[in-house]
Amino acid sequence: MDTVRPAADAKNIRLQSVLDPAAGPVLGDSERLQQIVWNLLSNGIKFTPKRGRVQVCLQRINSHVEIIVADTGQGISAEFLPYVFERFRQADSSITRSFGGLGLGLAIVRQLVELHGGTVHAESPGEGQGAAFTVKLPLMAVGPTVIEPERVHPAVGGSVPFDCSPRLDGLKILIVDDDADIRDLLTYTLEVCGAEVIAAASADEAISTLTESSTPMNILISDIGMPDEDGYALLRRVRALEPEKGGGIPAIALTAYARTQDRRAALLAGFQSHVAKPVEPAELIAVIANLAGRIKGI
C-alpha cells in the first residue's frame, strides 16, 4: 500500500484498508504474495477515475485468508468477466493506448495465487460500476506454538525502510515504462533522493532522449513488458549507439517477471541488474548507487 500510495494521491483516490493482522498465517513466498496485492492495487488505481476509492480488506474466512481489493472504477462487462485473468486480454484494445500495459498483471496474479494453492476471482456489477477481486489462500494446517509476536501495523510489515541512503544527487536517470503510474512513482522516489529524472513512455521516446540529451545520462531503468518494443528490444537499440550517445549506459531491468530464469534472461540481454516489481524503493536506490559507483559490494 505504501508503494502505490503516491499514484493514488496523484489522482485524489482514497486508499482505504480494513486489515486483521491476526488473520494468518499462510505458507508462501512473501515477495510473491506482495506482488499479488501490488498488482491488484495498481490495477484498481489505474482504472479508477479521479476522486474514486480503492479498498483493501484482509480477513479470515473458515480455513482460508481472504484478500479483497475493490474499486469504484470503470468496472468489467459481464461478457468479459470470464476472460479477465487471461494473458494479453483486455476488454478494449484502446485500453493499451489509454492506460498502458499489456494485460499481464491479472494473469500473473492468477498464476502466483494458484502456485500458493489458492484461488482468485473477479466480480463487477457492470461497466462503470467498479470491480472487486478476491484472493483466497489456505491457512497453514498446523501453526507453530510460539508466543504471539508483537503486532505490526500492516503498512510497514516486511518492507525495507525508505530513507534515501545513499543519496543520488548529481545522477541523471532515464526511466522507460509504458505505465504512467509507474513512471510517476519512480520519478517521485528518485527525485526525493536527489536524482534528476527523465521519464519516457516508449522505446522510441527513450532513444530520442538519449541521443538528443545535451548531457549524458548516468542510468537507464527500463520495464521489460512494453507494447510495440519491449525492454530487450530497447536495450539492443541502446547498445548499438555510439558511447557518446549513451550506448554504454548502465541499465536496470524493472519487471513483474520475477523468476530466476527471468533475471538470468535480463542479465544475458545486457542489463547490469534486475529489479522485480513491486519495487522496494530502498533496494532500487541501492542498486542505482552501486551501478553509479557510489557504493561497493551490493
Side-chain angles (χ1 to χ4, degrees):
M1 291 183 69
D2 283 349
T3 302
V4 302
R5 197 175 300 279
D9 291 344
K11 297 175 67 175
N12 289 324
I13 292 174
R14 287 180 292 158
L15 190 57
Q16 301 175 333
S17 62
V18 181
L19 308 177
D20 178 5
V26 299
L27 181 63
D29 183 317
S30 61
E31 291 186 0
R32 300 287 70 80
L33 291 172
Q34 184 185 25
Q35 187 176 4
I36 290 167
V37 179
W38 181 83
N39 278 355
L40 291 176
L41 281 172
S42 297
N43 198 67
I45 292 169
K46 179 186 295 186
F47 294 111
T48 297
K50 291 182 178 180
R51 293 177 292 279
R53 185 183 74 251
V54 176
Q55 185 179 67
V56 188
C57 178
L58 169 68
Q59 59 187 342
R60 175 175 176 172
I61 303 294
N62 299 323
S63 61
H64 288 77
V65 165
E66 280 193 359
I67 302 168
I68 303 172
V69 179
D71 63 67
T72 58
Q74 69 178 41
I76 307 167
S77 68
E79 293 78 12
F80 187 68
L81 264 178
Y83 309 105
V84 71
F85 293 105
E86 292 190 6
R87 298 171 72 88
F88 305 110
R89 289 293 295 266
Q90 291 181 327
D92 181 350
S93 60
S94 66
I95 288 176
T96 296
R97 294 188 296 273
S98 299
F99 294 94
L102 292 177
L104 285 171
L106 294 180
I108 291 171
V109 166
R110 181 174 66 176
Q111 181 184 34
L112 292 176
V113 169
E114 291 178 350
L115 286 172
H116 283 84
T119 61
V120 58
H121 74 274
E123 297 176 313
S124 176
E127 294 185 21
Q129 301 182 64
F133 293 85
T134 301
V135 173
K136 293 184 179 181
L137 298 169
L139 287 165
M140 289 180 63
V142 179
T145 54
V146 296
I147 299 174
E148 183 178 353
E150 179 184 357
R151 294 184 177 182
V152 180
H153 190 281
V156 299
S159 296
V160 178
F162 176 38
D163 59 1
C164 273
S165 178
R167 296 282 302 176
L168 303 178
D169 300 271
L171 292 182
K172 195 171 183 179
I173 300 173
L174 174 60
I175 294 169
V176 189
D177 200 303
D178 62 301
D179 189 319
D181 290 337
I182 297 297
R183 294 196 303 272
D184 292 344
L185 171 64
L186 294 179
T187 298
Y188 169 80
T189 300
L190 301 182
E191 286 182 345
V192 165
C193 294
E196 178 184 350
V197 180
I198 297 178
S202 66
D204 284 342
E205 191 177 335
I207 293 295
S208 297
T209 300
L210 278 174
T211 55
E212 297 172 8
S213 177
S214 57
T215 56
M217 298 283 176
N218 301 112
I219 299 288
L220 167 67
I221 303 174
S222 176
D223 185 28
I224 295 297
M226 297 186 291
D228 299 325
E229 287 186 277
D230 63 15
Y232 296 131
L234 167 60
L235 193 65
R236 286 193 293 270
R237 293 176 64 183
V238 169
R239 295 298 181 232
L241 297 173
E242 297 294 329
E244 61 270 18
K245 294 294 185 179
I249 186 173
I252 299 170
L254 183 66
T255 173
Y257 302 101
R259 301 169 301 175
T260 300
Q261 53 265 47
D262 298 319
R263 181 178 184 274
R264 181 174 180 272
L267 296 177
L268 290 175
F271 287 96
Q272 277 71 36
S273 188
H274 172 278
V275 176
K277 296 178 180 179
V279 182
E280 284 286 359
E283 177 189 0
L284 180 61
I285 291 164
V287 170
I288 292 170
N290 185 50
L291 287 182
R294 299 288 177 93
I295 53 178
K296 303 296 181 181
I298 288 184

